[in-house]
Amino acid sequence: MKKIIFFILLFGTASHLTAQNDSLRTILKEVIVVADKTLKKNSKGYKIITLKDSVLVKNTESFTTLLRFNAPIYLREYGAGGTSSASFRGTSASNTAVVWNGININSINNGQTGFNSLTVSLFDAINIRSGGGSIEYGSGAIGGTVHLNDELSFKNKQTIDNQFVSSFGSYNTSNNLYKFNLSSQKLAVKLGISYNKSNNDYPLLKTDFRNSNGAYKNISFNAGLSYKLSNFSELNFYSTSYLGDRLFSGELPNPTSANEKYKDFNNRNLLVYNHQKGRFTNEVKIAFLTQEYHYYGDKNTDKFNFGKSNRYLINYQFGYKIPKINATINSFSEYESVFGKTDQINTKNRRQFSQSVIYNQNINNFFFFDTKIRKDFNSDFDVPFSYAMGIKVNTFKNISFRANGSKNYRVPTYNDLYWPGQGNPNLKPETALQSEFGVVFNTKNLSIDISGFYISAKDKIVWTPNGDPNRPGIWTPINLSKTMNKGIEFTLSYQKNFNKHFVNTTVNYSYTDAKNTETNNFLTFVPKHLLNGSLGYSYKGFSAFYQQLFTSKTFTTESNSNDFIIPSFFVSNLGADYMVLKTEKQQISIGLKVNNIFNELYFTQPRRPMPNRNFNFNINCKF
């Protein structure tokens, strides 16, 4: 409650100060500050998809929805608004790293991040990088990484901007957001608060039931501060908190029997000191992250199971430029200590020191490459070297070639090892080799990227209901001797202005063939075909958009039984926005979005239907 009162006071002060702001559109010299400065510098040969603000405002329902319709990632949900996990290039959820301001935030307990515990509009920039070359963020991200960044800006004249977004929709769903930004020559401040709730009791198509135990509500806080100490150094602080309360939807054929509840709390804090002068760069990051959950088997009682983890981290980066050969060398040294426990597992402490070195070079703006090597010293496992290399070659005027390869390594999580009645203390760490080759075509209005990838994994960790013959029907983790993932990815982006008529379209397609080479069966929850795209049109103050998603059938059992598949599906959304007011100091727009316009029955998790046709009305104010 004290935190809430504190934020309300800050927001009230911000609204009062806004009256002193001369103009929303004053042309000022601006310097953008980001905590993660290495992503694009160290991504030669890799594909990066950037989700801009224009994309974020069209997908405010959930972070899962945002990625599902705008990225080549398969996401499954335990009912809309429930637990959500990702599969990137056929890898498991633990092989997709979520990176917040340069810090990997995947849970030590289950090795992943629940995407529905992230609020879309609180972040300023979201980037998605394919491939396993992100070893500066950890060695286990075989499929790719999702980057969440907060931006702070210095301006030569003090400005204050406010934004309020509110939406209301079917099933008593509402999403509310307030953001405040202050910029001056030496100080930048960013604050945000988000509150979302829904009864989520949509009808389950082709049945007489409703999603009767699917309600959720959550509140998120976000804060950032940057102070310019000198022309060469700055001190930045970032903090974010999430408090969620949700019910777990039931499964067919008897969804009304569901009675579970789940509460979780996440808090992340990061302090960054950066000094850059001449050829040298020094940066220190100190972070504290905590996660906690309460699981209620019966929502009507006070009895619950809980889990909690605390993570302490310090990271030092040193960079040196070599102008004569247009190269840079960077060293990353990191130490972390993680404490995790549940009501049934005593506190475990895992400590790790990591050392990474990255070398970048640009040869005549024609040949670019980076090489990376990482060594982890883990208190629980003997971790070998990880390495990666990326290459980009500019050949013709609009065509370039890119390639990358890496060796990755992931240790088992606490849940994998110790989960009561289900964990497997005999698990081995998994290792993987991956490679990719791509061709890129770029013009002013059109961008095309097509690539092929290959991943060979040994001792891959998967959860299966038949993993332990002594515990039949119980989900347990096992090591698969060897798996092979191969496929093709295609990305297209086009935009054109025809005499004030603006048209844009994006397409993401992925073909993934992921198999257990010992049985030749397909891996579970990996669709062979995944296609999403959007088409947008705007003229003056009016804009409209259409979104499409296709997912092919998905196997859910190791035996690939056709009795337990998730059928293929098409889902489409349609929306429109209108700028009601646009002045130097104020902007107000209203919008309407219809999700699942064709009322398609579809699943991303067995026996848990997703929402039918539903509506969402929103208003967006900037002042």
Side-chain angles (χ1 to χ4, degrees), residues 536-568:
Y537 167 80
S538 62
Y539 176 72
K540 294 184 177 179
F542 172 79
S543 63
F545 62 91
Y546 172 80
Q547 297 175 320
Q548 176 71 65
L549 169 68
F550 169 75
T551 303
S552 64
K553 77 174 183 179
T554 307
F555 293 107
T556 66
T557 61
E558 295 293 329
S559 62
N560 288 179
S561 170
N562 284 315
D563 295 330
F564 300 100
I565 64 168
I566 296 176
S568 62

Side-chain angles (χ1 to χ4, degrees), residues 184-245:
S184 65
Q185 287 184 333
K186 287 195 170 185
L187 179 66
V189 178
K190 170 191 171 182
L191 300 170
I193 182 172
S194 172
Y195 178 70
N196 311 293
K197 72 177 184 69
S198 177
N199 290 348
N200 205 24
D201 55 346
Y202 53 89
L204 305 183
L205 290 174
K206 298 184 180 180
T207 75
D208 295 326
F209 298 110
R210 301 184 74 91
N211 191 47
S212 56
N213 199 63
Y216 64 84
K217 59 182 178 181
N218 56 71
I219 186 169
S220 300
F221 300 102
N222 196 37
L225 183 147
S226 181
Y227 183 72
K228 186 181 290 186
L229 300 172
S230 70
N231 290 333
F232 309 105
S233 60
E234 61 198 32
L235 186 66
N236 307 320
F237 175 72
Y238 304 90
S239 181
T240 182
S241 297
Y242 170 89
L243 181 63
D245 187 343

Side-chain angles (χ1 to χ4, degrees), residues 332-391:
F332 297 82
S333 304
E334 182 176 284
Y335 175 78
E336 69 172 355
S337 179
V338 184
F339 296 84
K341 68 175 182 178
T342 74
D343 57 307
Q344 300 181 61
I345 303 175
N346 294 329
T347 300
K348 305 289 184 181
N349 177 216
R350 178 176 291 177
R351 301 169 304 282
Q352 179 168 291
F353 173 78
S354 306
Q355 178 62 52
S356 305
V357 178
I358 301 177
Y359 178 81
N360 283 283
Q361 189 166 1
N362 173 355
I363 302 176
N364 298 324
N365 289 323
F366 167 75
F367 186 84
F368 306 81
F369 74 93
D370 60 44
T371 57
K372 308 176 183 181
I373 188 168
R374 177 187 176 106
K375 174 61 177 174
D376 294 339
F377 300 89
N378 190 287
S379 60
D380 295 341
F381 295 94
D382 182 17
V383 183
F385 281 94
S386 300
Y387 50 80
M389 184 173 185
I391 297 172

Side-chain angles (χ1 to χ4, degrees), residues 139-320:
S139 61
I142 302 168
T145 50
V146 178
H147 297 258
L148 317 173
N149 292 313
D150 294 307
E151 294 180 350
L152 296 160
S153 59
F154 295 119
K155 297 180 180 179
N156 58 8
K157 183 178 181 180
Q158 179 174 302
T159 63
I160 295 176
D161 298 321
N162 297 267
Q163 182 180 18
F164 173 74
V165 182
S166 186
S167 66
F168 305 90
S170 304
Y171 322 120
N172 196 28
T173 301
S174 68
N175 301 283
N176 303 279
L177 169 78
Y178 176 77
K179 293 173 73 173
F180 162 76
N181 286 278
L182 179 147
S183 300
S184 65
Q185 287 184 333
K186 287 195 170 185
L187 179 66
V189 178
K190 170 191 171 182
L191 300 170
I193 182 172
S194 172
Y195 178 70
N196 311 293
K197 72 177 184 69
S198 177
N199 290 348
N200 205 24
D201 55 346
Y202 53 89
L204 305 183
L205 290 174
K206 298 184 180 180
T207 75
D208 295 326
F209 298 110
R210 301 184 74 91
N211 191 47
S212 56
N213 199 63
Y216 64 84
K217 59 182 178 181
N218 56 71
I219 186 169
S220 300
F221 300 102
N222 196 37
L225 183 147
S226 181
Y227 183 72
K228 186 181 290 186
L229 300 172
S230 70
N231 290 333
F232 309 105
S233 60
E234 61 198 32
L235 186 66
N236 307 320
F237 175 72
Y238 304 90
S239 181
T240 182
S241 297
Y242 170 89
L243 181 63
D245 187 343
R246 51 188 151 171
L247 304 180
F248 279 171
S249 301
E251 296 183 344
L252 294 174
N254 186 23
T256 58
S257 63
N259 205 32
E260 299 167 289
K261 182 170 72 171
Y262 187 82
K263 292 183 177 182
D264 56 329
F265 170 74
N266 301 320
N267 176 250
R268 307 179 187 104
N269 302 277
L270 173 64
L271 182 66
V272 183
Y273 170 76
N274 180 274
H275 182 274
Q276 185 172 348
K277 187 176 182 180
R279 300 182 181 184
F280 298 92
T281 299
N282 293 274
E283 184 175 84
V284 178
K285 292 182 177 180
I286 301 174
F288 170 69
L289 303 90
T290 184
Q291 296 178 310
E292 184 173 355
Y293 72 84
H294 290 180
Y295 168 75
Y296 299 78
D298 183 348
K299 65 183 179 183
N300 299 311
T301 70
D302 295 328
K303 296 180 179 180
F304 59 85
N305 299 105
F306 77 89
K308 184 176 182 178
S309 67
N310 291 324
R311 182 179 173 207
Y312 305 86
L313 179 147
I314 183 166
N315 178 293
Y316 172 65
Q317 176 191 349
F318 171 78
Y320 179 71

Side-chain angles (χ1 to χ4, degrees), residues 491-502:
T491 300
L492 179 147
S493 176
Y494 175 79
Q495 56 183 15
K496 183 71 174 178
N497 195 333
F498 301 93
N499 192 24
K500 297 184 180 180
H501 296 266
F502 182 78

Side-chain angles (χ1 to χ4, degrees), residues 57-76:
V57 297
K58 295 179 176 64
N59 300 271
T60 58
E61 298 94 337
S62 69
F63 207 96
T64 300
T65 300
L66 172 71
L67 295 182
R68 182 174 287 147
F69 283 91
N70 297 281
I73 304 176
Y74 176 69
L75 293 111
R76 55 190 179 114

